Amino acid sequence: MLDRARPLWPAIALMVSAALLAGAHAFETFGHMAPCQMCLAQREWHWGIVALAIAAFLHTRRRPEQARWAAFLIALAFIGSFAMAAKHTAVELHWIPETCEFENTGPISFRAPVGPVVRCDTPQWNLFGLTMANYNALISLAMALLSGLIAFAPERKS
């Protein structure tokens, strides 16, 4: 069954990362929850996955024999997303002493916050005791594992 999902996996990965980004932007826009610096870094991983998934989908339409490599690269990208979200989770749980408050590093900063400064160690939202970073870590880990399974699943014999 996993080998049947392989040709569509880049599109599935694209939809998952796009949905996570849409959710994050919805919380920011409609929930008025400003993201912290680590939240923004997590979004960068998902924007990268969106770009990778689009490229992989287009490439594997022309070269379907490379779908395994596409799934493997997507797995690596989701591992990176998981690592960033896991670090944010560790900061929220105070396992890592980091607050992520904005620091001005020079006279002109293009990363200066426009709105309020949000601390990374203080979750703004949770559902069933899990924060957005926790959900992102769980979803990213699940997608990394599925991507790896799809990449290395044996071919179906007909």
Side-chain angles (χ1 to χ4, degrees), residues 17-151:
S17 276
L20 289 170
L21 285 166
H25 287 291
F27 274 98
E28 183 177 353
T29 304
F30 304 114
H32 305 289
M33 294 181 201
C36 69
Q37 294 299 315
M38 292 183 93
C39 291
L40 295 174
Q42 289 174 76
R43 290 182 194 183
E44 290 172 5
W45 276 100
H46 287 290
W47 281 114
I49 292 168
V50 165
L52 174 63
I54 290 170
F57 184 79
L58 294 174
H59 181 73
T60 57
R61 298 287 69 86
R62 288 181 280 127
R63 307 273 313 264
E65 71 277 5
Q66 294 186 350
R68 285 182 184 276
W69 282 106
F72 179 70
L73 291 175
I74 290 168
L76 292 177
F78 273 113
I79 288 170
S81 174
F82 164 72
M84 184 68 235
K87 180 181 179 188
H88 193 179
T89 295
V91 169
E92 287 177 343
L93 294 171
H94 302 283
W95 294 346
I96 298 174
E98 192 169 335
T99 59
C100 301
E101 291 178 12
F102 179 77
E103 295 178 17
N104 193 354
T105 57
I108 299 176
S109 176
F110 295 106
R111 294 185 60 121
V114 176
V117 175
V118 179
R119 294 174 51 111
C120 295
D121 63 345
T122 308
Q124 296 184 54
W125 177 90
N126 74 62
L127 178 65
F128 307 120
L130 298 175
T131 67
M132 283 188 262
N134 302 152
Y135 282 110
N136 187 18
L138 292 172
I139 293 167
S140 294
L141 180 60
M143 289 299 291
L145 293 173
L146 280 171
S147 295
L149 285 173
I150 287 170

